Amino acid sequence: MSTFEDLGSLLMVRGADELDHAGGSLYVHLHRVAKRLTTLGASDTLVLAGLAHAAYGTDGFPTHLFDWQTERPVLESVIGPEAELIVYRYGSCERETTWRDLAEHHTVTDRFTGTSEELSTPDLRDFVDLTIVNELDVLDHAPALAPKLRPFLQEQIPRWQSLASPAVLAESQRLLPL
């Protein structure tokens, strides 16, 4: 089995297919995010992180499949330390203090620990690409959220244009014309 398949199996064991999420189950959402990242030319590491991005819950989806305090090594053993760190950063991100001015301060605030971390350019790109792709998937599959989410993304994504990959920016502009 491949790492991708191993992770998919682990997500099933952890109940991702039983949790409601935009457009079906969390499991289906995670696969759509990973598929879109693949289509947009993301690295294998980022695609794996996309498949597991909600493993520790998120600021917008508090249900978790793994305990961030005790089970990070479990996820890391399947997807590797680089992908796991992307998943942790994504899940632990305190959106209110991070998202708006991320292009200026390059700092992600950890909602679990209260600490902040300044990210390198490649780490920022992975973080922003995953964030945009996730939010686009939610927008595509949760029509009830569109009246609030669409204007937010139309305002937020241009702030991140210096951080996101060209392919992710093009996809967001295609789906969110201004």
Side-chain angles (χ1 to χ4, degrees), residues 2 8 23 43 45 48 60 79 106 113 151 176:
S2 71
S43 69
T45 300
L48 282 171
I79 65 175
H106 299 187
T113 66
L176 294 167

Side-chain angles (χ1 to χ4, degrees), residues 37 40 128-130 132-133 136 164-173:
L37 286 165
L40 296 173
V128 168
D129 282 357
L130 176 55
I132 291 172
V133 167
L136 291 175
S165 68
V168 169
L169 277 178
E171 177 79 348
S172 67
Q173 290 165 354

Side-chain angles (χ1 to χ4, degrees), residues 4 7 11-12 16-17 21-22 25-37 47-55 61 65 90 130 134 137:
F4 193 88
L7 177 57
L11 293 170
M12 290 287 281
D17 61 324
H21 200 280
S25 70
L26 177 61
Y27 184 79
V28 170
H29 165 71
L30 296 170
H31 274 273
R32 286 193 312 256
V33 168
K35 182 178 180 181
R36 185 173 276 175
L37 286 165
V47 170
L48 282 171
L51 184 58
H53 74 268
F61 186 77
L65 303 173
Y90 184 81
L130 176 55
N134 176 70
D137 185 76

Side-chain angles (χ1 to χ4, degrees), residues 71-107:
E71 295 186 298
R72 288 185 67 187
V74 174
L75 188 57
E76 183 180 311
S77 72
V78 176
I79 65 175
E82 291 177 22
E84 189 281 331
L85 184 55
I86 294 168
V87 171
Y88 178 81
R89 280 187 187 128
Y90 184 81
S92 71
C93 173
E94 184 178 273
R95 295 175 179 183
E96 179 85 19
T97 58
T98 298
W99 281 12
R100 183 171 178 80
D101 298 320
L102 185 60
E104 289 79 36
H105 57 67
H106 299 187
T107 301

